[in-house]
Amino acid sequence: MEKLQAFDLVLFGGTGDLAMRKLLPALYRRFIAGQFPAEARVVGVARGDLTRDAYRAQVEASCRNHAVDGFDVAQWVAFAERLHYVRADGARPDSFGDLVQFLRGREAFTRIFFLSTAPTLFAGICDQIGSAGLATSLSRVVLEKPLGQDLTSASQINAHVGAIFSEPQIFRIDHYLGKEAVQNLLALRFGNALFEPLWRRGRIRHVQITVAETLGVETRGPFYDQTGALRDMVQNHLLQLLCIIAMEPPATSDADAMRDEKLKVLRALRPIAGRDVLNKTVRGQYKAGAAVGKPVVAYLDETGVPADSTTETFVAIKAEIDTWRWAGVPFYLRTGKRLQEKLSEIVITFEDVPHSIFDAEARSQSPNRLTIALQPKDSITLTILAKNPGETMRLKPVNLSLDLADSFKTRQLDAYERLLTDIIKGNLTLFMRRDELDAAWRWIDPIREGWQQYDGPPKLYTAGSWGPAAANSMISRDGFSWNGET
Ligand code: NAP
């Protein structure tokens, strides 16, 4: 395992949910894998008055809870030696004195400022990093999503961050891009010649991207109510998946070559504005129902959600890409909370045969499909038609399936493990560039404006269903149905 260069990782929001559940356990696993050099340190930063020991006890509990290959006490003791805690307030100017002290004399090491706090603090934290003189030429800043609420607020944050850090020092996280399955999508598309001739209009009928959750808003009601599914999921995760499916082959796997191609896709998305939202989008909100067999309350009864909220917990969109490759191929996007299953998948449906030699009884209505599952399992399935065994000729869909975890028999890196090592190495490929983010907001903002101007309240759906009936009507108007539903 390749050792990383020496670093200080300054984790703002080091006591928060994301840090405890994902980031610190991921760092601990990379430590166990032997990737930490002797000089590496991790320092949690927050406002709380915690001793180093108290902080280490919190992190230990969370690393125990999120251990993947068991918890190793000796390794933990060694990791804890690298773990520190410093108090600072990102919203109060001149509160970084202790952090300055902590980092003094370490200018020769890679310095990573990971901002795992509310995005409203990003500008203030960067201003203080700048005024305290902490940004060195070897520094990087990592920004958790959501980056702003719209193009205007995202631009303001980016301007503050950009005043202290240059673009190659800025790592905007979309943790979906760190998933092994997303990497596999790149391998499938650009490592195999097989699919390329088929990867276009005339061969592909439509594409569906679904990211479904069974969870509700849990403890994050106030945050979610200000955000909604369009900004929380579509603006980043679903659009990034769409880009990887639709992008032209880049000349190299270099970060900017990849990001240039993704940007072209975002810029070619046909705008959905004004009354278009009524035909090309559906927004929904869950009412009481059941999640994984247990009764659950309506969104409006969740803690921290106003009783008259019109925030969407579900979105379906028909996206179109105006390029030679994709003209006329709809990309149906769908995401929501409290849906029937936890599922992330991309389904590519190919054109049907131009003429069937089989009689009506033998035929099947199933066109070929390529299903790339990201969750719950990382798998690739090609659905083809074969003859059903027996006397008569009857075609039936069968699956050629590749379970990636099973095939390689090695533990897959968690998305944050991969992203954190990439950040430390300075590899920007899996992070969003500012122009990509701006282009995504430019496409998203008119949808929200259209909803405000022309759409009624969100369509209600029962928790535990697949969303509002209107999402089915939207796709069936084109003669299709959502994968798994007929
Ligand atoms: P959280 O649980 O509310 O934690 C916030 C952290 O920020 C705490 O450590 C808090 O500690 C610290 N903090 C708050 N105000 C501060 C200030 N003025 N100065 C310095 N530190 C301050 O939030 P989270 O769920 O971890 O989310 C963090 C970020 O990640 C957010 O942008 C969120 O949208 C994003 N995100 C979270 C998840 C997730 O699963 N949780 C997933 C994707 C993205 P003190 O109060 O002690 O200061």
Side-chain angles (χ1 to χ4, degrees):
M1 186 70 58
E2 183 195 349
K3 269 237 187 317
L4 299 165
Q5 68 245 33
F7 63 86
D8 281 327
L9 194 151
V10 182
L11 181 52
F12 286 92
T15 55
D17 175 70
L18 184 70
M20 287 294 169
R21 247 176 353 100
K22 296 281 185 187
L23 305 175
L24 290 156
L27 286 165
Y28 171 56
R29 290 198 285 271
R30 289 299 86 208
F31 176 82
I32 294 179
Q35 282 201 291
F36 271 45
E39 307 83 355
R41 302 189 302 180
V42 175
V43 55
V45 178
R47 293 167 304 175
D49 189 7
L50 282 179
T51 61
R52 185 179 177 196
D53 281 346
Y55 184 59
R56 289 202 282 205
Q58 276 187 26
V59 179
E60 179 180 351
S62 110
C63 287
R64 279 182 188 273
N65 276 343
H66 297 96
V68 176
D69 305 320
F71 183 80
D72 183 319
V73 176
Q75 292 278 17
W76 164 257
V77 171
F79 178 70
E81 283 299 307
R82 315 300 186 84
L83 191 58
H84 302 259
Y85 179 78
V86 167
R87 268 180 92 185
D89 185 342
R92 201 165 52 82
D94 304 322
S95 77
F96 279 23
D98 289 350
L99 191 58
V100 171
Q101 192 62 31
F102 181 80
L103 293 172
R104 186 158 291 149
R106 306 264 302 176
E107 290 74 17
F109 298 130
T110 300
R111 188 173 282 182
I112 294 147
F113 298 101
F114 196 122
L115 310 196
S116 177
T117 65
T120 44
L121 290 171
F122 290 177
I125 292 175
C126 285
D127 289 350
Q128 286 203 65
I129 290 172
S131 58
L134 293 177
T136 60
S137 61
L138 294 179
S139 289
R140 285 159 205 165
V141 66
V142 187
L143 308 174
E144 257 300 336
K145 67 138 211 186
L147 243 175
Q149 290 279 84
D150 51 22
L151 180 60
T152 311
S153 54
S155 300
Q156 279 162 0
I157 294 173
N158 279 318
H160 270 273
V161 178
I164 310 297
F165 299 97
S166 64
E167 187 61 30
Q169 293 179 297
I170 304 173
F171 290 70
R172 296 179 190 84
I173 284 207
D174 182 332
H175 74 265
Y176 255 62
L177 294 184
K179 286 182 186 285
E180 193 73 19
V182 175
Q183 313 274 293
N184 255 315
L185 199 48
L186 291 169
L188 179 83
R189 280 207 61 200
F190 305 126
N192 297 286
L194 183 67
F195 291 109
E196 173 52 23
L198 306 177
W199 215 257
R200 60 193 66 247
R201 70 191 303 275
R203 298 293 183 190
I204 291 179
R205 190 69 207 90
H206 60 95
V207 177
Q208 294 183 15
I209 304 178
T210 298
V211 178
E213 296 175 274
T214 51
L215 291 178
V217 293
E218 311 307 299
T219 55
R220 306 180 82 212
F223 160 79
Y224 193 84
D225 201 62
Q226 295 297 311
T227 309
L230 184 69
R231 293 193 275 218
D232 192 39
M233 299 298 286
V234 181
Q235 186 270 343
N236 36 67
H237 305 326
L238 277 89
L239 283 186
Q240 284 294 317
L241 293 178
L242 175 143
C243 284
I244 293 174
I245 294 290
M247 71 199 254
E248 294 298 321
T252 66
S253 62
D254 171 75
D256 276 329
M258 289 277 203
R259 301 191 302 179
D260 287 346
E261 296 305 336
K262 285 196 287 160
L263 178 64
K264 286 182 204 161
V265 175
L266 290 168
R267 287 186 173 159
L269 280 170
R270 187 179 300 175
I272 300 178
R275 289 186 183 281
D276 281 351
V277 295
L278 303 177
N279 298 321
K280 294 187 178 174
T281 75
V282 172
R283 61 176 180 148
Q285 192 185 75
Y286 62 82
K287 52 185 185 174
V292 212
K294 293 212 174 97
V296 291
V297 298
Y299 176 69
L300 295 181
D301 294 324
E302 297 277 15
T303 312
V305 173
D308 57 353
S309 170
T310 56
T311 298
E312 77 287 355
T313 59
F314 174 96
V315 195
I317 300 180
K318 176 183 176 179
E320 290 157 290
I321 304 171
D322 289 331
T323 61
W324 275 37
R325 191 188 279 268
W326 294 116
V329 180
F331 282 66
Y332 299 102
L333 315 180
R334 174 173 67 153
T335 184
K337 289 199 174 284
R338 289 281 187 239
L339 295 182
Q340 201 171 94
E341 273 175 54
K342 182 176 167 69
L343 172 85
S344 301
E345 67 174 19
I346 299 160
V347 182
I348 294 162
T349 302
F350 293 92
E351 291 285 1
D352 217 340
V353 290
H355 160 74
S356 179
I357 63 163
F358 302 104
D359 61 31
E361 220 168 288
R363 277 181 223 160
S364 163
Q365 294 302 316
S366 289
N368 298 133
R369 270 194 328 269
L370 182 68
T371 304
I372 300 141
L374 288 76
Q375 248 172 0
K377 256 191 166 174
D378 195 354
S379 65
I380 298 174
T381 304
L382 183 63
T383 307
I384 58 166
L385 292 181
K387 181 186 167 298
N388 199 29
E391 256 175 55
T392 50
M393 176 56 111
R394 186 158 291 157
L395 300 182
K396 245 192 121 183
V398 284
N399 291 338
L400 292 172
S401 289
L402 175 63
D403 178 326
L404 290 155
D406 235 37
S407 303
F408 291 105
K409 307 251 185 284
T410 52
R411 180 175 82 77
Q412 296 184 358
L413 287 195
D414 160 86
Y416 277 106
E417 284 180 67
R418 174 187 310 284
L419 294 173
L420 282 160
T421 40
D422 276 0
I423 293 161
I424 298 165
K425 287 181 187 165
N427 180 358
L428 281 154
T429 309
L430 300 179
F431 300 85
M432 284 198 277
R433 208 168 53 192
R434 178 171 179 174
D435 47 10
E436 272 184 88
L437 185 81
D438 289 351
W441 281 123
R442 260 191 205 100
W443 190 71
I444 291 289
D445 285 353
I447 297 177
R448 273 192 32 255
E449 286 155 18
W451 285 346
Q452 277 154 15
Q453 234 181 322
Y454 299 105
D455 202 11
K459 314 262 182 314
L460 296 180
Y461 62 97
T462 306
S465 69
W466 275 115
N472 293 339
S473 312
M474 183 185 84
I475 195 167
S476 66
R477 279 198 294 276
D478 293 343
F480 309 127
S481 57
W482 293 104
N483 188 44
E485 295 180 57
T486 42

